[in-house]
Structures are given as C-alpha cells and as structure tokens.
Amino acid sequence: ADIDDSEACMLVSSMSTNRRLRTLVLSHNLIGKDELMNVVVPDHVTGGEAIANWLSGKCRLRKLDLSWNHLRLGSAAALASAIEL
C-alpha cells in the first residue's frame, strides 16, 4: 500500500461522519512521510495529525493499526494524546 499524508487526510475527512467503523488497518503505508514539512510550514497537517484529530472526535474506533508507517514527532505526540485509556 502507498497511502501518504495527503491521502490519509482525505480518507479521514471522508470518514468524519462514520459512526459504524470499528477497525481500521492502515499498516505498511507512507503516513508520516511529510512530518518534516511542519518545520517549513507549521500549519501543515500530516496524516497522523489528521487521524489523531479524528480519534479525538466522535470516532467509535476500537482497533487502529498504523504499524510500519513513518509516524514520529508531532504526529506521534498527537496520536498519543488522542488515545483514551
């Protein structure tokens, strides 16, 4: 698979009203590849940040697999903050 940050943002945007999705597997993609773009363009939203914003909303997801992506820095912090234990 080759879903990158911009595609992840579009995917999350399209799922914003979905209340039935319980499992989402986005492993082995390119999400987070644009993380360093935030240094140049601070308002740039990465795929990880978009997913974190979605998780913080009314999302009812129970399982999310983001393994083998490029998540780090701001995306990793945003995802960690969005996860409720």
Side-chain angles (χ1 to χ4, degrees):
D2 63 352
I3 296 172
D4 63 18
D5 285 293
S6 62
E7 293 167 325
C9 289
M10 289 187 289
L11 175 66
V12 169
S13 177
S14 71
M15 296 187 311
S16 64
T17 59
N18 187 319
R19 303 288 183 259
R20 294 184 176 261
L21 186 65
R22 298 294 182 258
T23 300
L24 180 61
V25 178
L26 293 172
S27 62
H28 296 86
N29 280 292
L30 303 173
I31 301 169
K33 195 86 165 157
D34 292 342
E35 184 76 36
L36 293 178
M37 180 67 88
N38 281 343
V39 174
V40 180
V41 183
D43 293 336
H44 177 75
V45 178
T46 64
E49 291 167 334
I51 293 168
N53 290 337
W54 176 61
L55 290 173
S56 296
K58 295 180 181 178
C59 169
R60 294 186 175 181
L61 203 63
R62 295 290 174 227
K63 182 179 179 185
L64 174 62
D65 184 353
L66 293 172
S67 62
W68 295 99
N69 277 285
H70 301 271
L71 299 166
R72 58 195 182 282
L73 305 171
S75 292
L79 285 165
S81 294
I83 298 171
E84 292 182 22
L85 297 178

